[in-house]
Amino acid sequence: MKPIDFQTDPGRYRHWRLEIDGEVAFLVMDVDQAGSLFDGVELKLNSYDLGVDIELNDAVQRLRFEHPEVRAVVIRSGKDNVFCAGANIRMLGKATHGHKVNFCKYTNETRLAIEDACENSGQVYLAAVKGSCAGGGYELALAADHILLVDDRRSSVSLPETPLLGVLPGTGGLSRISDKRKVRRDRADVFCTTEEGVRGAKAVEWRLVDEVVPNSKWAETVAARARELAARSDRPRDAKGITLTPLDRRQNGDAIAYSHVNLDIDRQRGMATLTLRGPANSVPASVAAAHAQGAAFWPLALARELEDAILHLRANEPAIGLVIFRTEGDAQSVLGHDALLGQGDWLMREVRHYVKRVLKRIDVTSRSFIALIEPGTCFAGTLAELVVAADRSLMLIGTREGDNRPAATIMLSEANFGFYPMGNGLTRLQTRFLGDKAAIERLSKKIGTPLEADEADELGLVTGTVESYDWDDELRVMLEERLSFSPDALTGMEANLRFAGPETMETKIFGRLSAWQNWIFQRPNAVGAQGALKLYGSGVQATFDKERV
Amino acid sequence: MKPIDFQTDPGRYRHWRLEIDGEVAFLVMDVDQAGSLFDGVELKLNSYDLGVDIELNDAVQRLRFEHPEVRAVVIRSGKDNVFCAGANIRMLGKATHGHKVNFCKYTNETRLAIEDACENSGQVYLAAVKGSCAGGGYELALAADHILLVDDRRSSVSLPETPLLGVLPGTGGLSRISDKRKVRRDRADVFCTTEEGVRGAKAVEWRLVDEVVPNSKWAETVAARARELAARSDRPRDAKGITLTPLDRRQNGDAIAYSHVNLDIDRQRGMATLTLRGPANSVPASVAAAHAQGAAFWPLALARELEDAILHLRANEPAIGLVIFRTEGDAQSVLGHDALLGQGDWLMREVRHYVKRVLKRIDVTSRSFIALIEPGTCFAGTLAELVVAADRSLMLIGTREGDNRPAATIMLSEANFGFYPMGNGLTRLQTRFLGDKAAIERLSKKIGTPLEADEADELGLVTGTVESYDWDDELRVMLEERLSFSPDALTGMEANLRFAGPETMETKIFGRLSAWQNWIFQRPNAVGAQGALKLYGSGVQATFDKERV
């Protein structure tokens, strides 16, 4: 399989059409069956693979940044008789365990990005379901705020994974029917074991869709609902979008250089360094000046590059188990940008939520993250969030001999106290100091103050502080140790320790649902030679080991 | 391996001593290394297997019922130099995947029972940790309300599973350090990757233990703390305990008959029927009369038998994937007992919380449960809880031809509205009607009213209602279908759909942590021929596939 590239643009879409009609956009799924990332896989019936979802994610992202005028988005099918058949089964049968897990993670993030647009961006999604809508197809609809189902005696919604494939609906379906749509548990049980799904009035009664509409009134009802949803939006009517221009990205052997991010892979040790650079230019004088920078506006450019690097690591570099965060740049300039992000402007809001989503990608990335805070680094404001996003951090005390740069500091900004909540609904600082309001209060008084190692340590911001003469040894031992551990145990450990405090639908999806799905994705009953996922479509019935675990 | 028996009593303990000194009990762990359930496994250094935990569970249970005078329980080791080394690794290496998963489930339930005693029974646990306290040993201590660690420069607490064994601490350790003890995430990360653990003042600073005590003051401090905890208790000073007499249990081929419960296994179809019978005697005239019945008091006897049957199914009948709930008896008599349980008496409280714990065992049992409500059944009050504990229910409309019993009814009691909260903190009715207070209100008005099929359906209590002439066919098809599905997919599906709404530390343990552990328990990095769990103690280093998933 070729390396997967997460960058695309509408001019290159093979599977989606983005049609904009004033305040309403139509996201039309029309999968090119010859366009799979996998050789020999045909994406029939609007079934999808990761490549299809990369385009969807791109469209969802562009709608927010490039189209402030769009207040409602209708997801519909470009094919007759089928809305979407879900993830392509042949692809799942061929994919490695690692690819399946990463595929589900990414598609889950895309569904959550749709919900984030509804909730935080005034861009509300409506799923207009005509034709069969099965598995991942229904999970896509579930991400929308409102689901319309045509009442034509054929169209239905279903989650047939358990009866048909011996796996779970892996894109949040179980969590969304129980927690978002509050489908009664026993009905959910019936629904998830009924291959043919549910249609018509029963689908409404069971809360699986919001309304059913006769075929004769379909187009007008979809249009009416879209207008109604649009009317509720707080998006500006007269704003001008900014264009998400292609990333400045250069691959050079095992390194990728972006304008503000470098990814350097140390293949021999199985680790990578992600260096994030602060703003290259001075702080824009106003929000308007920030708008004028477009995609070059520093926090936006940084987020796009960081996201691309993280997704690349996940999909294409599975053997790189540890990532070092480093930063460079001018702390005051970062804080100046943070101040802009805090303004009540639609674009600043978009950037803030986007940085939030990228940081959440880190939270669910199955690699160990370590932040190194040394002289010359710039862990300030938005960049300081990496210290608390990391599994641990190490800070050098004072200066290094022969290095005339000042002692390393951490500097907090208002960004660390609310811009970037985690999936659990808390900020990373709140999660770190769970239930300890005094600790948060203490920290908030330090906004804008450079905190050297001792103070950062006392405030609980760093895991350890180290004298310069011990630094190299301590770091070497720490890295060697971490890299010697079982990657699977680390993945499970990190997935538990990163989410102290409340669980939400989102953390349930990544914690509970995904962990069970990962388990099932390894079980012979699914992926063995006689397993349901392997034999699907072959005409041969799966043979199950009937023992319950 | 022989069938596992979950019944025991202090006279038969091989691994624990229960020493009672007035209001303080000492639970002394002194594992007989020759007493493993597994041939060829030596339970060295107070390491444990399921058999050890069965005794612990029995002791925790008896302390509540037989010893109302005990207000504080000190868990300590009967061996020098070691508190507890955790689950026996050799045993984990030998055990099947299914046994490992069930073992962790049961030990988790026992830890939660300890916490339930602290929280709801005024019987507060203190862990007096002297000597090394590793992995499951520390997880046992974590279940206590207060952890004392001796400061002798050797004794430490640790969770070395990840660095040493390539698995997770499987008995709630990760969830408890993050959510119960609120250990900072980065410190938790260091702690869980440090084989030798943490001791002394640092263990307190990191919140891993509550206090460290010099060896010279050990005995007096433990005694003082136990007295302090005891002083906070609301347990009665002058009450008389009741004896948990041996169960009335007769095995007859594939059937087990208890006094109020029958378990009938249909091995060919891979299913079982659990029949629960209402009270055989009339309702005790008073709480005092209920006390006089002792272990024969109906709700207590029922709970003990149901618990034994469920645990037997889990451990000894893995191929039985589906369980039918049936009931028999007199509804008014059940409601009379429920009214007694609602009284503010220590024993009634114990019974209520015990029934709650048994029902929670059902919630985390990986079998499909179906309640069948037909003429002659008695789904009333506490027994009606089975209707909502089941994954789905089927109710027969009216009567059967040639059967002169009246139409089946469901009857709710106050028990269904608060006696038996699930792990998520909500009642089963609240979970079923998540966020819909009106539905709960409607139901509460029906307390004591027999609800026939149509009304039960309208109120949302049953999944489906069926005419008598369709009953047999509908049921046959439903069962055949369910039994044809992948057991693993059903397990994952049920584990997600059963827990709508909030997550708690408890649901995190069974949902998030256990699912990850189950995944890891299947990975070659843990259980493959070169895996860490397999090679532990052999002197050979594990070889890891370094790819992250």
Side-chain angles (χ1 to χ4, degrees):
Chain A
M1 202 164 174
K2 281 194 309 187
I4 292 164
D5 185 354
F6 290 86
Q7 298 303 314
T8 186
D9 59 70
R12 288 189 282 161
Y13 290 177
R14 293 184 68 171
H15 309 296
W16 294 88
R17 291 195 304 275
L18 183 50
E19 299 168 353
I20 297 189
D21 180 12
E23 63 182 16
V24 176
F26 292 86
L27 205 38
V28 185
M29 187 176 203
D30 197 358
V31 175
D32 174 358
Q33 71 172 46
S36 173
L37 295 176
F38 285 73
D39 290 337
V41 167
E42 292 191 323
L43 299 176
K44 288 180 186 167
L45 299 170
N46 261 2
S47 64
Y48 60 83
D49 67 0
L50 181 57
V52 176
D53 223 67
I54 288 171
E55 292 184 7
L56 172 60
N57 180 66
D58 183 74
V60 169
Q61 181 76 340
R62 284 180 197 276
L63 277 165
R64 290 180 78 162
F65 282 96
E66 301 189 350
H67 299 282
E69 78 281 10
V70 169
R71 302 154 78 84
V73 182
V74 177
I75 301 185
R76 66 173 185 83
S77 168
K79 301 203 190 296
D80 294 333
N81 305 323
V82 62
F83 175 77
C84 166
N88 185 279
I89 312 304
R90 190 63 61 92
M91 175 276 291
L92 287 177
K94 282 189 162 197
T96 61
H97 181 60
H99 182 85
K100 277 200 283 288
V101 169
N102 261 302
F103 165 69
C104 287
K105 190 175 286 177
Y106 184 84
T107 55
N108 269 312
E109 291 172 315
T110 307
R111 307 301 168 273
L112 287 161
I114 288 173
E115 290 177 323
D116 187 59
C118 293
E119 196 186 329
N120 296 312
S121 192
Q123 206 164 56
V124 185
Y125 279 69
L126 185 159
V129 179
K130 209 172 172 176
S132 84
C133 174
Y138 178 49
E139 289 177 304
L140 173 60
L142 280 168
D145 236 35
H146 194 86
I147 306 176
L148 285 171
L149 175 64
V150 76
D151 196 7
D152 61 2
R153 293 165 185 279
R154 282 183 307 113
S155 297
S156 68
V157 297
S158 64
L159 291 176
E161 283 85 347
T162 294
L164 218 54
L165 306 168
V167 299
L168 301 184
T171 320
L174 297 180
S175 304
R176 280 199 180 78
I177 58 173
S178 67
D179 283 69
K180 182 180 184 180
R181 301 197 59 94
K182 301 186 170 61
V183 175
R184 236 172 58 198
R185 164 190 158 185
D186 58 335
R187 286 174 168 170
D189 183 276
V190 174
F191 175 62
C192 295
T193 52
T194 303
E195 218 177 290
E196 65 275 19
V198 170
R199 59 186 170 76
K202 187 171 166 183
V204 177
E205 193 197 334
W206 285 25
R207 311 174 65 108
L208 298 165
V209 305
D210 293 287
E211 51 181 321
V212 286
V213 180
N215 214 346
S216 60
K217 296 192 174 166
W218 182 245
E220 63 183 283
T221 309
V222 170
R225 289 297 167 277
R227 277 195 309 274
E228 286 160 26
L229 293 177
R232 285 172 14 202
S233 171
D234 66 348
R235 285 174 85 77
R237 294 230 170 249
D238 49 359
K240 208 171 149 290
I242 61 157
T243 303
L244 298 177
T245 49
L247 289 190
D248 170 15
R249 181 179 65 181
R250 287 141 292 152
Q251 174 115 24
N252 191 345
D254 275 344
I256 301 181
Y258 304 83
S259 68
H260 300 93
V261 172
N262 274 44
L263 174 67
D264 295 288
I265 288 177
D266 178 345
R267 205 166 294 286
Q268 208 190 336
R269 290 209 284 174
M271 55 178 277
T273 301
L274 255 173
T275 306
L276 286 77
R277 279 184 296 279
N281 304 314
S282 55
V283 183
S286 65
V287 167
H291 276 248
Q293 293 188 346
F297 180 51
W298 174 74
L300 174 56
L302 180 85
R304 294 181 72 203
E305 294 170 2
L306 176 57
E307 179 175 51
D308 190 68
I310 292 286
L311 293 173
H312 168 70
L313 276 172
R314 280 196 202 162
N316 302 320
E317 296 287 356
I320 304 304
L322 190 154
V323 179
I324 302 277
F325 286 136
R326 288 188 192 271
T327 52
E328 297 170 2
D330 175 53
Q332 290 303 337
S333 181
V334 174
L335 261 63
H337 281 82
D338 284 356
L340 280 173
L341 287 185
Q343 308 276 318
D345 168 78
W346 78 268
L347 180 60
M348 297 303 105
R349 175 171 81 172
E350 286 307 338
V351 175
R352 225 161 51 224
H353 285 295
Y354 179 39
V355 175
K356 172 192 78 180
R357 294 195 300 280
V358 175
L359 289 168
K360 286 203 224 182
R361 289 207 198 259
I362 291 173
D363 296 334
V364 297
T365 292
S366 59
R367 314 294 163 100
S368 302
F369 292 100
I370 300 178
L372 296 183
I373 308 144
E374 303 173 72
T377 58
C378 174
F379 286 98
T382 290
L383 291 178
E385 196 70 10
L386 295 170
V387 175
V388 267
D391 295 296
R392 58 168 88 170
S393 58
L394 207 61
M395 188 161 185
L396 191 140
I397 301 169
T399 56
R400 278 203 178 93
E401 219 182 278
D403 179 351
N404 57 9
R405 291 174 300 183
T409 63
I410 295 174
M411 199 188 290
L412 300 176
S413 78
E414 57 172 327
N416 309 111
F417 294 84
F419 284 13
Y420 314 126
M422 298 174 59
N424 64 6
L426 305 181
T427 65
R428 282 179 189 76
L429 285 175
Q430 284 169 334
T431 305
R432 186 179 186 88
F433 300 102
L434 192 62
D436 184 358
K437 282 187 186 166
I440 305 289
E441 194 122 318
R442 254 193 316 277
L443 286 165
S444 70
K445 288 187 182 135
K446 299 291 181 182
I447 286 179
T449 306
L451 305 167
E452 292 197 13
D454 287 350
E455 194 173 6
D457 188 29
E458 205 176 313
L459 289 163
L461 281 178
V462 293
T463 315
T465 58
V466 183
E467 300 283 356
S468 63
Y469 45 84
D470 283 335
W471 179 268
D472 290 347
D473 277 350
E474 282 243 5
L475 183 60
R476 186 180 45 74
V477 170
M478 181 201 287
L479 297 179
E480 273 174 13
E481 226 179 51
R482 190 79 171 196
L483 290 163
S484 76
F485 296 153
S486 160
D488 303 320
L490 286 173
T491 292
M493 187 188 86
E494 291 155 3
N496 279 277
L497 294 182
R498 288 178 187 173
F499 294 91
E503 297 253 7
T504 61
M505 191 190 72
E506 180 169 337
T507 64
K508 269 190 187 183
I509 288 172
F510 290 115
R512 178 185 277 266
L513 176 56
S514 296
W516 282 110
Q517 179 78 306
N518 292 359
W519 178 72
I520 293 165
F521 272 161
Q522 283 197 143
R523 300 283 295 161
N525 283 338
V527 297
Q530 306 302 314
L533 202 54
K534 269 281 188 275
L535 290 177
Y536 179 76
S538 69
V540 181
Q541 193 87 17
T543 310
F544 294 133
D545 173 351
K546 287 291 187 185
E547 294 210 352
R548 282 280 195 136
V549 171
Chain B
M1 202 165 175
K2 281 194 310 189
I4 292 163
D5 186 354
F6 290 86
Q7 298 304 314
T8 187
D9 59 69
R12 290 189 282 162
Y13 290 178
R14 295 183 67 170
H15 310 295
W16 294 87
R17 292 194 305 275
L18 183 51
E19 301 168 354
I20 297 191
D21 179 12
E23 63 181 19
V24 176
F26 293 85
L27 205 38
V28 185
M29 188 175 202
D30 196 0
V31 175
D32 174 359
Q33 71 173 46
S36 173
L37 296 177
F38 286 73
D39 290 337
V41 167
E42 293 191 323
L43 299 176
K44 290 182 186 166
L45 298 171
N46 261 0
S47 65
Y48 60 85
D49 68 359
L50 181 57
V52 176
D53 222 69
I54 288 171
E55 292 184 8
L56 172 60
N57 180 66
D58 184 74
V60 171
Q61 181 75 341
R62 285 181 197 276
L63 277 165
R64 291 179 76 161
F65 282 97
E66 303 189 348
H67 299 283
E69 78 280 11
V70 169
R71 303 154 77 84
V73 183
V74 177
I75 301 185
R76 66 172 186 84
S77 169
K79 301 201 190 300
D80 293 332
N81 304 323
V82 63
F83 176 77
C84 167
N88 185 279
I89 312 305
R90 191 63 60 91
M91 174 277 290
L92 287 177
K94 279 190 164 196
T96 62
H97 180 60
H99 182 85
K100 276 198 285 286
V101 169
N102 260 304
F103 165 69
C104 288
K105 191 176 287 178
Y106 184 84
T107 55
N108 269 311
E109 289 171 317
T110 307
R111 307 301 167 273
L112 288 162
I114 289 174
E115 289 176 325
D116 188 59
C118 294
E119 196 185 329
N120 297 310
S121 193
Q123 208 165 53
V124 184
Y125 280 68
L126 184 160
V129 179
K130 209 172 171 175
S132 85
C133 175
Y138 178 49
E139 288 176 305
L140 174 60
L142 280 169
D145 236 35
H146 195 85
I147 307 176
L148 284 170
L149 175 64
V150 75
D151 196 7
D152 62 0
R153 293 168 183 277
R154 281 183 308 112
S155 298
S156 68
V157 296
S158 65
L159 290 177
E161 283 84 348
T162 294
L164 219 52
L165 307 167
V167 300
L168 301 184
T171 320
L174 298 180
S175 304
R176 278 197 181 81
I177 57 172
S178 66
D179 283 69
K180 181 181 185 179
R181 300 196 61 92
K182 300 187 171 60
V183 175
R184 235 171 58 198
R185 165 190 159 187
D186 58 334
R187 287 175 167 169
D189 182 276
V190 173
F191 175 62
C192 296
T193 51
T194 303
E195 219 176 290
E196 65 275 20
V198 170
R199 58 186 171 76
K202 186 170 165 184
V204 178
E205 193 196 334
W206 285 25
R207 311 174 65 108
L208 297 164
V209 305
D210 294 288
E211 51 182 322
V212 287
V213 180
N215 214 346
S216 60
K217 296 191 174 167
W218 181 246
E220 62 183 287
T221 309
V222 170
R225 290 296 168 277
R227 277 196 308 275
E228 286 161 24
L229 293 176
R232 284 171 14 201
S233 172
D234 66 349
R235 285 175 84 78
R237 294 227 170 251
D238 49 359
K240 207 171 150 294
I242 62 159
T243 303
L244 298 178
T245 49
L247 289 190
D248 170 14
R249 181 179 64 180
R250 287 142 291 156
Q251 175 116 24
N252 193 345
D254 275 343
I256 301 181
Y258 304 83
S259 67
H260 300 94
V261 172
N262 275 43
L263 174 67
D264 296 288
I265 288 177
D266 178 345
R267 206 165 295 284
Q268 209 190 335
R269 289 210 283 175
M271 55 178 277
T273 301
L274 255 174
T275 306
L276 286 77
R277 279 184 296 280
N281 304 314
S282 55
V283 183
S286 64
V287 166
H291 276 249
Q293 292 188 347
F297 180 50
W298 174 73
L300 175 55
L302 180 85
R304 294 181 71 204
E305 295 170 2
L306 176 57
E307 179 175 51
D308 190 68
I310 292 285
L311 293 173
H312 169 71
L313 276 172
R314 278 196 202 163
N316 303 319
E317 296 288 357
I320 305 303
L322 190 154
V323 179
I324 301 277
F325 287 136
R326 288 189 193 271
T327 52
E328 295 170 5
D330 175 51
Q332 290 304 338
S333 181
V334 175
L335 263 61
H337 281 81
D338 284 356
L340 279 172
L341 288 185
Q343 307 276 318
D345 167 80
W346 78 268
L347 180 60
M348 297 303 105
R349 175 172 81 173
E350 287 306 340
V351 176
R352 224 160 52 223
H353 285 295
Y354 180 37
V355 176
K356 172 192 78 180
R357 294 194 300 280
V358 175
L359 290 168
K360 287 202 225 183
R361 289 208 198 257
I362 292 174
D363 296 335
V364 298
T365 292
S366 59
R367 313 294 161 101
S368 302
F369 292 100
I370 299 178
L372 295 182
I373 308 144
E374 303 173 72
T377 58
C378 175
F379 286 98
T382 290
L383 290 179
E385 196 70 10
L386 295 171
V387 175
V388 267
D391 295 297
R392 58 169 88 170
S393 59
L394 208 60
M395 188 163 187
L396 190 139
I397 301 169
T399 57
R400 278 202 177 93
E401 219 181 277
D403 178 350
N404 57 8
R405 291 175 299 183
T409 62
I410 295 173
M411 198 188 290
L412 299 176
S413 79
E414 57 171 327
N416 309 111
F417 294 85
F419 284 13
Y420 313 127
M422 300 174 58
N424 63 8
L426 305 181
T427 65
R428 282 178 190 76
L429 285 176
Q430 283 168 336
T431 306
R432 187 179 185 87
F433 300 103
L434 191 63
D436 184 358
K437 283 186 185 166
I440 304 290
E441 195 122 318
R442 254 193 317 276
L443 286 165
S444 71
K445 290 187 181 135
K446 298 291 181 182
I447 287 179
T449 307
L451 306 167
E452 293 198 12
D454 286 351
E455 195 173 3
D457 189 29
E458 206 176 312
L459 289 163
L461 281 177
V462 293
T463 316
T465 58
V466 182
E467 299 283 355
S468 62
Y469 45 84
D470 282 336
W471 179 267
D472 291 348
D473 277 351
E474 282 242 5
L475 185 59
R476 186 179 46 74
V477 170
M478 182 201 284
L479 297 178
E480 274 174 12
E481 226 179 52
R482 190 78 171 198
L483 291 162
S484 75
F485 296 153
S486 161
D488 303 319
L490 286 174
T491 292
M493 187 188 87
E494 290 155 3
N496 278 276
L497 294 182
R498 287 178 187 173
F499 295 91
E503 298 254 6
T504 62
M505 192 191 70
E506 180 169 339
T507 64
K508 267 189 189 184
I509 288 171
F510 290 114
R512 177 186 279 267
L513 177 56
S514 297
W516 281 109
Q517 179 76 307
N518 292 359
W519 177 72
I520 291 165
F521 272 161
Q522 284 199 141
R523 300 283 296 162
N525 282 339
V527 296
Q530 305 303 315
L533 203 53
K534 271 280 187 275
L535 291 178
Y536 179 77
S538 69
V540 181
Q541 192 87 18
T543 311
F544 294 132
D545 174 351
K546 287 292 188 185
E547 294 212 350
R548 283 279 196 136
V549 170

